[in-house]
Amino acid sequence: MTNCNIGAALHESAAARPDALALVTGKNGQYEQWTFRELLETSCRYANALQGQGVERGQRVMFMVRPSLDFIALTFALFQLGAVVILIDPGMGYRNLLRCIGAVKPEALIGIPAAQLFSRLFPKPFKTVRRRVCVGPSFGLGGSTLAAACKRVSADFSPAVTTEDELAAVIFTTGSTGPPKGVQYTHGIFFNQLKLIRDYYGIGSGDIDQPGFPLFGLFAAALGAAAVIPDMDPTRPAQVNPAKFVRSMLDWQVTYSFGSPAIWNVVSRHCIAAGITLPVKKVLMAGAPVSGELISRVQQIMPEGGTIYTPYGATESLPSVSITGEEILRETWPKTRIGQGACVGRPLPGMSVQIIRPVNGPLAEWSDAQQLPVGRIGEIVVKGPVVTRAYDGNEAETRLAKVRDGSGFWHRMGDVGYVDEQGRLWFCGRKAHRVLTAAGPMHTICCEAIFNEHPQVLRSALVGVGKAGAQKPVLIVELKEKVPDERRLFNELRQLAADNSLTASIKTFLIHPGFPVDIRHNAKIFREKLAAWAEEQYPFTPASR
Ligand SMILES: Nc1ncnc2c1ncn2[C@@H]1O[C@H](COP(=O)(O)OP(=O)(O)OP(=O)(O)O)[C@@H](O)[C@H]1O
């Protein structure tokens, strides 16, 4: 039997190609690099050191370390031990951060000095912590340092033989429709994700990854690919310094990269202006709809034969559905532009997608769900080997999101969309973002597309004001640059609305100076915040009405 512990995958990568490049970090062209043998030895040393500090199988470990050698080696050390790694985006804001930490009841804290200090300043959610290991100088705050714990430990470690259902990690959702939720990742889920990424996207040994999301650096090592950690703040992808991002890609001849569309927006503009073609053969972008315009820009900076993918999924189920940029440009983007939604492609092998009639409360059994035919918009549900079973310590959210089906279950994505006659899924927006008018629901992605066609509009957001079921739609635009004549713009937007049956009922338009977006991707529009902002604008000015 193979050990499905993701920590065992690093042993396999090191056994297959011990001297191959595994990891690169660095700044401004000054790099440090490690082979698979070195990465494995570091990870095993850390596993022994952590064990010496009392970290053990099943223990919940709050892990707060920036993307680096230590991030990768320690995460693998924890997987090898069979401990449960708690991963939280530090940029999610204090209140959410403290709430999420308290909810997972961490028993150990492994973190950089800033994280240890944070836990002393806000001790309440950390009250369950019994062990601390400081990654860096501890200044008396963080228990033992990792360096001290590593003295005289062996570089051999046998990874725990874990079962498929054994908890490996808790990873938080982005929190774009409410507080972030902790998703339980079992070793089996990671194992199946690796298999899908390897087989479907053809990623493996010999590849060089530059991960835009830190977690994907782990997948690279487990797949036998090298990871080049970009010199960027992962909590601010839209602020990536494109020159640095591009430099390491060129220096290491990176072959694939998975990141938010916000990164690729900045990087593609930079490369086009500088006349740079990147070596990447595969670019994966996800987290929010990707425009045809961005796809063609990224295509321009890739070599002949390169492929863009825009996988669709969620923290609870990744990847679920996929399409290439080529198919989007050739076939689906013209339909997106006229309000038919964003095509996200076909289910990956082993994954199933269904559309059901939207329901507000829980759906206990699959027989309670009403499946909708081809072309009808409803709730998107998915089933398959990468779909997670539960939220951590949150039975109520689990009940709302999972539907039992025999021995399996479906996950409700919290999105709305439809399946076309070719079996492709079209994303029409978040379920919670639907504008519920007296005449029926209006879908954000479909309606906004009509206004995104306006040459002065950077992006738009449809929100509802008033009570659900009697909401009034309000269309908010963010402009590429300030316009001299707002009245004229409003007239043009009104005309666009009137010309399309989807949007004819929209009578109110507002200009917002800069949309609030999520911290992980900097691409998901926080429509809840915009809806509250729109409410505050009452009574609307005559120009916007
Ligand atoms: N390729 C894609 N195209 C369009 N939207 C996408 C794509 N990939 C992901 N998404 C959106 O991202 C969502 C998943 O995001 P994630 O798991 O990061 O957290 P979240 O759902 O935003 O957070 P929360 O559940 O806390 O509100 C999907 O449900 C979908 O709305």
Side-chain angles (χ1 to χ4, degrees):
M1 192 195 83
T2 46
N3 184 358
C4 69
N5 185 335
I6 179 176
L10 183 61
H11 285 260
E12 284 162 28
S13 299
R17 292 160 71 242
D19 299 316
L21 182 68
L23 185 66
V24 178
T25 65
K27 282 189 195 307
N28 305 321
Q30 302 290 309
Y31 298 107
E32 279 188 89
Q33 61 190 81
W34 293 269
T35 63
F36 275 104
R37 186 204 322 252
E38 289 164 340
L39 179 59
L40 178 66
E41 280 174 7
T42 311
S43 175
C44 290
R45 223 174 290 120
Y46 287 174
N48 283 315
L50 295 177
Q51 200 167 42
Q53 294 300 307
V55 176
E56 55 193 33
R57 188 163 177 171
Q59 203 172 66
R60 293 171 160 250
V61 181
M62 186 73 231
F63 186 59
M64 301 175 100
V65 173
R66 292 204 176 90
S68 58
L69 167 70
D70 284 343
F71 176 84
I72 305 270
L74 279 167
T75 316
F76 275 109
L78 291 166
F79 287 143
Q80 291 204 68
L81 282 164
V84 180
V85 187
I86 318 280
L87 287 169
I88 293 191
D89 287 318
M92 67 167 60
Y94 283 107
R95 244 192 314 148
N96 268 340
L97 194 59
L98 293 172
R99 199 191 54 80
C100 290
I101 295 168
V104 290
K105 302 190 173 57
E107 298 162 84
L109 170 63
I110 300 179
I112 56 175
Q116 301 288 353
L117 180 64
F118 179 76
S119 75
R120 299 295 185 191
L121 292 174
F122 301 96
K124 212 165 145 208
F126 292 92
K127 64 177 189 288
T128 44
V129 168
R130 299 282 169 267
R131 322 226 170 276
R132 286 167 186 273
V133 177
C134 188
V135 184
S138 98
F139 310 111
L141 289 167
S144 340
T145 64
L146 179 64
C150 277
K151 287 211 177 102
R152 288 185 292 278
V153 295
S154 140
D156 286 326
F157 194 89
S158 288
V161 179
T162 51
T163 62
E164 274 198 41
D165 292 337
E166 196 166 334
L167 195 58
V170 175
I171 303 179
F172 279 81
T173 62
T174 309
S176 48
T177 57
K181 301 182 281 279
V183 178
Q184 291 191 336
Y185 267 65
T186 59
H187 282 276
I189 291 287
F190 277 130
F191 187 81
N192 292 328
Q193 281 183 320
L194 282 180
K195 198 162 143 19
L196 263 192
I197 296 172
R198 184 193 299 121
D199 298 347
Y200 190 80
Y201 294 109
I203 290 171
S205 64
D207 270 309
I208 304 181
D209 175 25
Q210 181 159 301
F213 301 121
L215 191 64
F216 281 83
L218 297 177
F219 286 151
L223 289 166
V228 178
I229 308 289
D231 178 10
M232 65 178 280
D233 178 350
T235 66
R236 291 190 176 78
Q239 261 96 59
V240 63
N241 177 327
K244 290 182 178 175
F245 195 85
V246 165
R247 177 164 184 184
S248 51
M249 276 197 149
L250 293 172
D251 284 349
W252 294 94
Q253 291 292 299
V254 165
T255 62
Y256 77 98
S257 182
F258 190 176
S260 150
I263 295 185
W264 289 98
N265 177 37
V266 178
V267 170
S268 60
R269 284 182 202 283
H270 170 85
C271 291
I272 290 169
I276 297 170
T277 302
L278 294 174
V280 273
K281 297 194 180 71
K282 287 167 194 154
V283 168
L284 293 89
M285 294 186 263
V290 183
S291 73
E293 191 263 330
L294 177 58
I295 290 171
S296 44
R297 253 192 286 136
V298 175
Q299 231 169 29
Q300 274 181 61
I301 62 164
M302 291 174 71
E304 197 68 26
T307 310
I308 297 169
Y309 298 94
T310 62
Y312 164 84
T315 314
E316 296 90 334
S317 171
L318 189 78
S320 298
V321 173
S322 194
I323 189 168
T324 64
E326 190 269 325
E327 184 170 354
I328 292 181
L329 291 183
R330 178 168 41 82
E331 274 194 43
T332 68
W333 181 239
K335 295 181 180 164
T336 300
R337 292 175 66 180
I338 56 169
Q340 296 189 9
C343 186
V344 288
R346 297 173 183 79
L348 267 76
M351 297 295 295
S352 309
V353 171
Q354 289 282 353
I355 305 296
I356 60 170
R357 200 171 70 82
V359 173
N360 278 336
L363 277 169
E365 294 288 341
W366 185 233
S367 53
D368 300 337
Q370 184 188 335
Q371 285 158 254
L372 296 180
V374 162
R376 283 275 302 280
I377 299 179
E379 268 192 71
I380 302 171
V381 294
V382 297
K383 188 178 175 188
V386 297
V387 184
T388 55
R389 189 171 271 279
Y391 294 109
D392 194 65
N394 197 336
E395 185 48 39
E397 287 288 356
T398 302
R399 236 178 301 122
L400 275 174
K402 314 292 166 181
V403 189
R404 216 174 16 245
D405 182 11
S407 59
F409 64 98
W410 293 84
H411 170 69
R412 299 165 76 182
M413 294 287 292
D415 291 332
V416 283
Y418 64 95
V419 173
D420 68 13
E421 55 299 322
Q422 294 185 42
R424 294 179 305 203
L425 177 66
W426 294 71
F427 172 71
C428 298
R430 300 308 304 251
K431 183 179 167 213
H433 292 165
R434 287 173 308 162
V435 175
L436 302 169
T437 72
M442 295 173 76
H443 302 292
T444 52
I445 300 298
C446 306
C447 295
E448 291 160 6
I450 307 301
F451 305 96
N452 293 342
E453 288 293 302
H454 191 286
Q456 283 158 326
V457 169
L458 178 66
R459 51 189 168 183
S460 60
L462 179 73
V463 301
V465 294
K467 255 182 66 187
Q471 280 187 327
K472 181 180 155 78
V474 176
L475 195 281
I476 309 174
V477 292
E478 180 180 345
L479 300 177
K480 289 180 181 157
E481 50 194 39
K482 214 170 149 42
V483 292
D485 186 353
E486 288 189 356
R487 189 172 285 269
R488 183 169 157 195
L489 173 79
F490 283 126
N491 280 335
E492 289 165 354
L493 292 174
R494 202 166 299 126
Q495 193 57 50
L496 279 173
D499 288 347
N500 196 307
S501 59
L502 274 182
T503 51
S505 64
I506 305 176
K507 306 287 183 213
T508 310
F509 299 87
L510 295 170
I511 300 173
H512 190 279
F515 282 0
V517 288
D518 73 292
I519 47 116
R520 188 180 297 170
H521 313 78
N522 289 175
K524 297 174 193 278
I525 300 170
F526 274 150
R527 291 178 182 79
E528 283 88 348
K529 284 192 184 163
L530 286 174
W533 175 83
E535 297 263 12
E536 285 166 18
Q537 310 305 305
Y538 266 126
F540 298 119
T541 61
S544 63
R545 244 176 289 151

